Amino acid sequence: MAADASSSPLPRWAPTPSPSRPLWRWGGGTPDARTGNGEAGAGWSLSRMFRRPAVAGFDGVEAAPGRRAGTDAVDDPGVFLTWEDVCVTVAGGAYGAQPVSIVSGISGHARPGEVLAIMGPSGCGKTTLLDALAGRLGPGVNETGLILINGRREKLAFGTSAYVTQDNVLMSTMSVREAVYYSAQLQLPGTMPAAEKRVHADGVIREMGLGDAMDTRIGGRMTKGISGGQRKRVTICIEMLTRPRLLFLDEPTSGLDSAASYHVMSHITRIAARENMTIVAAVHQPSGDVFDLFHGLCLLSNGRTVFFGAASDATQFFAQSGFPCPQLRNPSDHFLRIINKDFDEEIVESSKARRKTAAEAIDILTDAYQSPAYSEKTMNQIAEMKGIGGAPFRKREQASFTTKLFVLTRRSFVNMHRDIGYYWMRLGVYLGIGVCLGTIFYQLGHSYSSIQSRCEVIMYTTALLTFMAIGGFPSFVEDVKVFRRERLSGHYGVAEFVISNTLSATPYLAVIAVIPGAMLYYLTGLTKGADRFAYFVVDLCMCTMLVESMMMIISVIVPDFLMGIVVGAGVQGVMMLNSGFFRLPSELPKPVWKYPCYYISFHKYAVQGFYKNEFIGQTFPSDQLVEKNVTISGLQVLQEKLEVEMGYSKWVNIAILCGMMVVYRVIFFAIVKIAEDVRPKQRRMGWKWCK
């Protein structure tokens, strides 16, 4: 191994912190001391966001462990994260089944300026433990144990902690530069000038080796873009913008080749030392160079601790337990081969040539870890860290509500413009439907039979054009995924998302309502008049906006876009049946179908508004087979034949549609907020001891 290290062209920075190194305090400073010059009020500068080392010719080592280059003695003591007897269980699959344990009795700690790696085979509980430490366990998951930050129970605040998820949820239409810069505008304080935000974002991008891909679009299901490894680095860039004190990384090297993995983790490790950050990373199987970068190691198997301590001590621990690492083998490969019992027919060989299964090896290693030399030392260090103290987490300043709203609206507008599946494809379909309806019902005239034809045109317009509004559901689901990730990270709130989505979508909805609507309106020969055409377009636009609001609700309840389209189509189909076209209101069965379905169907108000706009002020000849030389007024058609409610004007119908749209968006807001409230409750439930 030494020979390999000496011949490697890459810098081998393998910090090995001493287990006996005393816990330090930075000159008795507190987190307030770092921001004592007015974090919110004194303005921002790049020197505060980037602490560059003063040493020229930097080759990979910024500072000795426990010290950061470019900082004074009076500084933030950092975040000491400790956890004791953390257990995570989920309900059993069958009714009445016992809960399934995912993580059982895990204890450990993470220090400032260091990187702790959580390793283990697939399904061992790495991500679950990381989610438990970050307070991100979802509903239906029960957590117990004691998790402390600087000896206190803390709620993680924006800017002080960040989480890089395993899934790279990004807007596919944005370039790398745009994705990071829009995020910088949302996360960095409003007092920081826009030019500095842009320079800061560019610097973070270049630090992650993405300088050549800055203007390349991320890409997704529609277009080819950057690679999966580059997407992972973009995700890390976004979360590193605020230089959080506590950073959680879930599989930061997935999708990266060995060289890229080393450079990314080397950069993260340097930032941890320079910024005094506490970093906890769940890593699947790092290369030897990457493994040498880790300060601490938490090795799991089947939810149990196999080893916890300095990464440099792990090889000795395995050797003492009878599983020495062969020469020239990557230590992480050796550890995972020993404790992976998914393929237990692969026999593990001990130093005594006695063949053991992986299950037996795990039992030996877990028993060895429980010895005073390891587990008690871990508990003593936890006890010492719990006495560190320090100021509590405080949410850092962000951009103002109006700034966030402007940035989100602009980003959403650009995304909708570039995503052909959002509105442009729907516009093409609308044009096709408009041509079909316009030519089939070409110039209806004013005969008695035209009354029925006009009703059919109105119903088909309301049904088909609004029904096709679900075509943009897949694109909106992608937006909701981005919103969920950014919302969990505290970048902005639900209100900003709902309002910005409404503002950015309105111009596109107006376009796809005006152009096909004008084609349809004049081809069919509906009642002429600029005011009547304007009402027709407004009514159609409100219907499409209302359907999009309804699909927003479905997107948070049914996040799968195929199932969501089916559910949305089913809901609209039921509403169409109760609109008063297929059966008159007086003929609808009163239980369920008329009360309440008829009155909550938006088709009812849209169709009746169209009817009033079309027939009021018009006259038609009566049925000549019944009565000759007699005319029938449009008012009679509305009241006697269509049973339209005439107690209010057509503009009230528009107001009702607008109100329903607002109600649907408020329901979306409420569902998301309720889902958010579940997580803190589960986190509070988690502060208990394992039994």
Side-chain angles (χ1 to χ4, degrees):
M1 296 293 290
D4 289 346
S6 61
S7 61
S8 173
L10 296 174
R12 290 294 304 274
W13 185 43
T16 54
S18 172
S20 61
R21 185 186 65 188
L23 300 175
W24 67 93
R25 298 182 70 118
W26 291 97
T30 65
D32 288 342
R34 181 180 54 151
T35 58
N37 56 353
E39 187 175 80
W44 283 75
S45 64
L46 286 178
S47 61
R48 295 181 62 191
M49 300 301 297
F50 285 95
R51 296 187 178 95
R52 297 293 186 188
V55 181
F58 173 70
D59 65 349
V61 182
E62 290 231 6
R67 188 175 179 183
R68 290 181 300 166
T71 59
D72 343 12
V74 180
D75 206 343
D76 179 12
V79 173
F80 290 89
L81 177 65
T82 63
W83 58 96
E84 301 175 67
D85 281 342
V86 172
C87 302
V88 179
T89 58
V90 295
Y95 177 76
Q98 292 294 322
V100 178
S101 176
I102 302 178
V103 171
S104 177
I106 306 296
S107 299
H109 57 80
R111 299 171 179 263
E114 298 183 352
V115 178
L116 171 69
I118 302 176
M119 287 177 52
S122 298
C124 70
K126 301 186 298 293
T127 299
T128 301
L129 176 60
L130 199 69
D131 289 343
L133 298 179
R136 289 201 176 200
L137 292 175
V141 182
N142 184 36
E143 171 198 354
T144 57
L146 185 64
I147 303 175
L148 302 178
I149 295 175
N150 291 340
R152 286 189 305 273
R153 301 174 182 176
E154 291 275 5
K155 183 177 180 180
L156 302 181
F158 167 79
T160 57
S161 66
Y163 190 111
V164 177
T165 59
Q166 186 173 351
D167 299 326
N168 305 317
V169 182
L170 300 164
M171 280 191 172
S172 60
T173 59
M174 298 289 126
S175 67
V176 172
R177 189 197 303 270
E178 289 171 334
V180 179
Y181 182 56
Y182 278 127
S183 186
Q185 289 180 297
L186 294 171
Q187 295 188 65
L188 299 179
T191 54
M192 186 176 183
E196 289 193 16
K197 290 181 182 179
R198 187 179 296 275
V199 171
H200 176 52
D202 289 347
V204 173
I205 292 172
R206 288 191 173 89
E207 284 180 335
M208 283 295 164
L210 294 170
D212 293 337
M214 271 189 172
D215 298 315
T216 305
R217 291 192 183 178
I218 293 170
R221 68 182 191 280
M222 301 289 291
T223 58
K224 175 67 177 174
I226 59 178
S227 66
Q230 289 173 320
R231 287 192 184 98
K232 171 63 72 175
R233 283 184 274 171
V234 173
T235 305
I236 296 175
C237 285
I238 290 173
E239 298 301 333
M240 294 283 282
L241 283 168
T242 59
R243 293 295 192 256
R245 297 165 62 194
L246 178 60
L247 178 64
F248 299 97
L249 301 169
D250 191 8
E251 301 286 358
T253 59
S254 62
L256 303 179
D257 57 69
S258 59
S261 298
Y262 173 80
H263 286 297
V264 168
M265 289 306 302
S266 176
H267 172 69
I268 291 174
T269 307
R270 292 198 303 269
I271 290 180
R274 187 179 68 215
E275 304 289 338
N276 203 29
M277 291 169 56
T278 303
I279 298 180
V280 183
V283 186
H284 189 258
Q285 192 165 5
S287 64
D289 290 319
V290 173
F291 182 79
D292 287 342
L293 296 174
F294 300 142
H295 300 77
L297 175 65
C298 177
L299 197 58
L300 304 180
S301 181
N302 296 321
R304 296 186 296 167
T305 303
V306 174
F307 172 80
F308 185 92
S312 56
D313 295 340
T315 303
Q316 180 183 358
F317 169 78
F318 271 72
Q320 291 175 348
S321 302
F323 305 98
C325 180
Q327 291 292 327
L328 304 180
R329 178 180 290 179
N330 179 3
S332 63
D333 291 343
H334 176 68
F335 300 155
L336 296 183
R337 186 177 301 180
I338 294 292
I339 64 176
N340 189 349
K341 69 175 186 178
D342 292 340
F343 308 93
D344 225 355
E345 65 275 6
E346 298 288 338
I347 303 300
V348 180
E349 294 186 3
S350 70
S351 59
K352 299 178 181 179
R354 178 173 173 265
R355 300 164 69 86
K356 295 183 178 66
T357 64
E360 292 174 334
I362 292 171
D363 291 336
I364 293 173
L365 291 169
T366 52
D367 291 341
Y369 175 72
Q370 296 302 321
S371 65
Y374 292 99
S375 63
E376 287 189 11
K377 182 172 69 173
T378 299
M379 298 308 296
N380 291 336
Q381 290 175 338
I382 291 175
E384 189 176 354
M385 289 183 184
K386 287 163 66 174
I388 290 295
F393 269 17
R394 182 174 299 173
K395 183 177 179 180
R396 290 182 179 174
E397 183 190 1
Q398 290 178 272
S400 64
F401 177 86
T402 53
T403 300
K404 291 181 182 179
L405 186 60
F406 174 78
V407 172
L408 289 173
T409 302
R410 182 179 177 183
R411 185 179 72 172
S412 181
F413 188 88
V414 172
N415 179 51
M416 292 173 180
H417 174 72
R418 294 176 180 175
D419 189 346
I420 189 174
Y422 225 125
Y423 290 113
W424 301 125
M425 189 175 294
R426 200 190 313 177
L427 175 61
V429 174
Y430 278 24
L431 290 172
I433 293 175
V435 170
C436 293
L437 287 176
T439 52
I440 292 173
F441 293 94
Y442 182 72
Q443 295 302 314
L444 296 173
H446 281 78
S447 64
Y448 179 77
S449 62
S450 71
I451 297 175
Q452 180 65 25
S453 298
R454 290 169 191 270
C455 294
E456 291 170 353
V457 169
I458 288 172
M459 185 58 203
Y460 293 155
T461 301
T462 307
L464 293 178
L465 295 189
T466 58
F467 193 84
M468 288 306 300
I470 66 176
F473 184 73
S475 297
F476 183 73
V477 167
E478 296 301 315
D479 282 359
V480 171
K481 290 179 181 178
V482 175
F483 159 69
R484 287 183 180 276
R485 177 185 64 80
E486 294 177 333
R487 176 58 183 157
L488 280 174
S489 299
H491 296 178
Y492 52 87
V494 186
E496 292 97 318
F497 174 75
V498 174
I499 297 173
S500 64
N501 181 268
T502 304
L503 295 176
S504 58
T506 300
Y508 295 102
L509 292 173
V511 169
I512 66 175
V514 170
I515 299 176
M519 180 186 304
L520 170 65
Y521 197 88
Y522 290 104
L523 280 175
T524 57
L526 296 177
T527 304
K528 295 181 180 179
D531 58 334
R532 293 181 186 262
F533 171 70
Y535 182 91
F536 181 88
V537 169
V538 171
D539 198 342
L540 187 59
C541 184
M542 288 304 306
C543 288
T544 54
M545 291 183 67
L546 195 148
V547 173
E548 288 215 340
S549 302
M550 183 178 67
M551 297 305 292
M552 289 175 70
I553 299 174
I554 295 175
S555 68
V556 295
I557 299 175
V558 187
D560 181 77
F561 73 89
L562 289 177
M563 294 178 61
I565 290 175
V566 172
V567 172
V571 171
Q572 286 203 70
V574 172
M575 289 186 174
M576 287 180 201
L577 293 175
N578 299 280
S579 62
F581 175 79
F582 298 102
R583 294 209 69 182
L584 294 174
S586 61
E587 298 173 352
L588 286 172
K590 288 184 172 54
V592 180
W593 299 111
K594 187 169 185 179
Y595 304 103
C597 289
Y598 173 67
Y599 289 98
I600 65 176
S601 170
F602 75 89
H603 293 82
K604 173 215 173 197
Y605 304 100
V607 168
Q608 290 195 4
F610 281 130
Y611 283 165
K612 294 175 184 178
N613 184 61
E614 180 62 25
F615 289 106
I616 290 178
Q618 299 297 309
T619 57
F620 302 89
S622 65
D623 189 351
Q624 299 299 308
L625 297 177
V626 177
E627 191 175 8
K628 294 183 178 181
N629 301 323
V630 176
T631 60
I632 180 173
S633 67
L635 191 61
Q636 288 177 291
V637 173
L638 294 173
Q639 292 178 327
E640 298 173 7
K641 296 185 177 297
L642 301 177
E643 298 183 7
V644 175
E645 298 172 359
M646 299 300 297
Y648 48 86
S649 73
K650 62 183 180 181
W651 294 105
V652 174
N653 291 83
I654 294 291
I656 293 174
L657 291 174
C658 182
M660 293 180 72
M661 182 201 69
V662 173
V663 169
Y664 282 164
R665 303 225 168 198
V666 170
I667 292 174
F668 170 81
F669 179 89
I671 291 174
V672 175
K673 293 297 290 184
I674 291 172
E676 288 179 354
D677 291 340
V678 172
R679 293 182 182 272
K681 185 181 295 184
Q682 295 239 347
R683 189 183 296 118
R684 289 192 296 269
M685 290 171 59
W687 304 119
K688 299 178 182 176
W689 289 96
C690 290
K691 300 294 184 183

